[in-house]
Every structure is written in structure tokens, then in C-alpha cells.
Amino acid sequence: MTDHDHDHDPRALRAEALEAILIERGLVDPAVIDSTLDYFENDLGPMLGAQVVAKAWADPAFKRRLLDDGLGAIAELGLGGPQVDHLVVVENTPDVHNVVVCTLCSCYPWGLLGLPPAWYKSLAYRSRVVREPRNVLAEMGCELPDDIEVRVWDSSAEVRYFVLPERPNGTDGLPEDVLAEHVHRDQMIGVAR
Ligand code: FE
């Protein structure tokens, strides 16, 4: 996954062509490719982001560093990745809800969240969430009160955004690994609260 995986990206076509040849020649098992992608998309990525969120909830000094210098803070946890040059972490509060998009293509903090979901790459999401974020969020099951400010962050090859969700009530004193189980991918993109 690179910065700009447009559907017509010649790199994507090359990857598909290479995959087809490797499978045809019996060099790779398509099930292995699928399970690797599935692992990346569903397990590995979002879990890493959830650990970052849990640590920020549990450790106010870490949270401050995360908001000031996202990349430096996640590097403390051994996280990052070659595609993340600048990571800007935006914090949800009772008054502000943040949501992330890449209007150009599908730039995404994949070092923390894995591969982007299909809807994130869709033209409908990319074009509409900027113009009518409340409607799009409501359609995705995230109804926001009228008095909350919605901020939409447009990712790029240079800057990746990551939402720090609000800590749920009733989670005082829980250890980080249990807190992390409360964090889901969509909250870190900002399409859920
Ligand atoms: Fe992009």
C-alpha cells in the first residue's frame, strides 16, 4: 500500500499482474495473500492504533506528547512505518468531533490502522464527507448533536491524521490492554464515537 492508490494507479495494476503471474506459476498461494491482507486490515493495524489510544487515555504525559508530535510519540511504542512522515493526532472532546478523509485518493495512517476500508477509498465518502459531514456520519450510524463542532481533516501523502476518541465513561482504573479493547477502527477515523 503506497500513498496514492487510485483505482487507475499503474502501481496497483502492476501489483495485480505480478500477483496473477505468481499464482499461475504456483509460487504463492492466493489464500495466503488473502489471509495476509485480512490480517493487515482487521487485526494488526487497528490493534496498534487502539494501543496508542489506550496509552493516551491512561497516561496524560504521553497524550500531550502524542498531540504535540504524533510521530515522535508513537515511535516510543516502536510504531511508525515508512509511509508516515507526519502524523497529526486530533482529539475528540465533548464539543468537537474530528473525522478523517483523503479527498484525493486514500491516504491513511496505515502504520496505525492497517489497510483502509473500502468505503474510505470510495468516491462517495471522499467527496461528500467534506461537504456534508453530518449527513455522511449519520448515514454511517454516527449521529452527532447539533451543538458539537465537526472538523474534517484532509489527509495527503505528507500528512496523515488520526483521531483520538474520547475515553468512555466507566473505564476508570482499567489497564491499558483492557482499554484498548474498547477502541475500534472507525472511532480512530472519526466515523464513530
Ligand atoms: Fe491519498
Side-chain angles (χ1 to χ4, degrees):
M1 184 64 42
T2 53
D3 292 324
H4 292 260
D5 68 331
H6 301 258
D7 291 336
H8 55 270
D9 188 332
R11 287 173 297 184
L13 291 174
R14 274 173 67 124
E16 273 176 42
L18 282 169
E19 181 183 331
I21 290 167
L22 291 169
I23 290 168
E24 189 182 289
R25 300 205 174 160
L27 294 172
V28 298
D29 179 347
V32 170
I33 295 178
D34 288 344
S35 67
T36 304
L37 288 174
D38 185 63
Y39 177 63
F40 226 86
E41 186 162 12
N42 296 311
D43 300 323
L44 180 63
M47 265 176 47
L48 297 176
Q51 288 167 16
V52 171
V53 170
K55 183 163 179 64
W57 285 346
D59 179 346
F62 176 78
K63 176 177 155 181
R64 210 166 308 121
R65 293 198 295 281
L66 184 68
L67 295 172
D68 287 346
D69 170 17
L71 214 51
I74 66 168
E76 295 174 25
L77 306 179
L79 301 175
Q83 296 297 322
V84 182
D85 294 326
H86 295 285
L87 177 71
V88 175
V89 179
V90 289
E91 182 185 15
N92 280 354
T93 69
D95 303 316
V96 176
H97 179 84
N98 296 284
V99 59
V100 177
V101 65
C102 173
T103 54
L104 267 182
C105 44
S106 57
C107 296
Y108 188 73
W110 64 263
L112 294 176
L113 298 182
L115 300 177
W119 56 258
Y120 184 84
K121 298 187 272 188
S122 71
L123 182 61
Y125 177 76
R126 286 157 39 207
S127 56
R128 288 184 61 221
V129 78
V130 177
R131 294 197 311 266
E132 41 171 343
R134 281 173 195 280
N135 290 340
V136 171
L137 290 170
E139 287 167 21
M140 297 178 83
C142 180
E143 300 264 2
L144 294 172
D146 286 341
D147 58 355
I148 197 167
E149 180 190 344
V150 181
R151 296 181 186 162
V152 182
W153 301 90
D154 192 359
S155 305
S156 69
E158 287 75 37
V159 183
R160 306 299 165 93
Y161 294 96
F162 177 86
V163 176
L164 176 60
E166 277 188 278
R167 182 173 180 154
N169 292 327
T171 58
D172 288 355
L174 292 178
E176 278 177 38
D177 57 333
V178 177
L179 283 174
E181 291 169 9
H182 287 260
V183 186
H184 301 288
R185 180 193 68 195
D186 288 358
Q187 297 168 327
M188 299 179 276
I189 307 173
V191 296
R193 266 181 90 76

